[in-house]
Structures are given as structure tokens and as C-alpha cells.
Amino acid sequence: MPQTPSTRWCPTPAQLMILEEMYRGGLRTPNASQIQQITAHLAHYGRIEGKNVFYWFQNRKSRSKNKLRNAAARVAPVRACAPARQQAAAP
């Protein structure tokens, strides 16, 4: 039985490197024309569609936020409020 080709996008290392460089350069949410330009550029390195670029930036931004949130939680864990100790009154 022949296998059907995967429909899921599998970015090439070159595509990932370029996308990561753009993200580190400050691009977080590209607009429609930027997505088209990025897609055209990345198409030289392998199969890609505009939706792949859109979702890659969306997912990368989400992973960054989660990473920061998790790091902050490890540094300052939330503590339960303990009742204040009462000091005995000195006679």
C-alpha cells in the first residue's frame, strides 16, 4: 500500500535559521505583505506557504511568552499565606 505524502510543513534548517533571525531582529507579528515577502524568500529553500509563516510567528511568540512565564515562576514561586505569628505579650 503506497504511503501518502505528508501535508504537514517541515521547515528546512535554512528556513528556520532565517525565521529565527527575523524574530530575534524584532519582527513579532508580520502583516500580510510582510508574510508574502518572507514566504517568497523562504520558497528558495524549500516548500512553504504563507500560512506556515503566519503560524510559525504566532507559535514562536507563544513559546517565548510561556518560557518567560515559567522562568519567572521558578524564580519567585507563589507562596501560600501563612497566618501571622502572634508574639507573647511581655509582663
Side-chain angles (χ1 to χ4, degrees), residues 46-60:
R47 184 181 66 84
I48 191 167
E49 297 177 38
K51 65 181 181 181
N52 303 131
V53 173
F54 174 82
Y55 288 123
W56 186 90
F57 276 96
Q58 189 176 52
N59 291 336
R60 181 66 173 81

Side-chain angles (χ1 to χ4, degrees), residues 17-53:
M17 185 181 69
I18 293 167
L19 288 166
E20 284 290 346
E21 285 175 4
M22 289 179 181
Y23 188 84
R24 281 193 301 267
L27 184 60
R28 297 291 186 263
T29 308
N31 61 36
S33 65
Q34 289 173 317
I35 289 172
Q36 285 181 336
Q37 291 172 354
I38 295 167
T39 303
H41 179 67
L42 295 178
H44 296 278
Y45 303 96
R47 184 181 66 84
I48 191 167
E49 297 177 38
K51 65 181 181 181
N52 303 131
V53 173

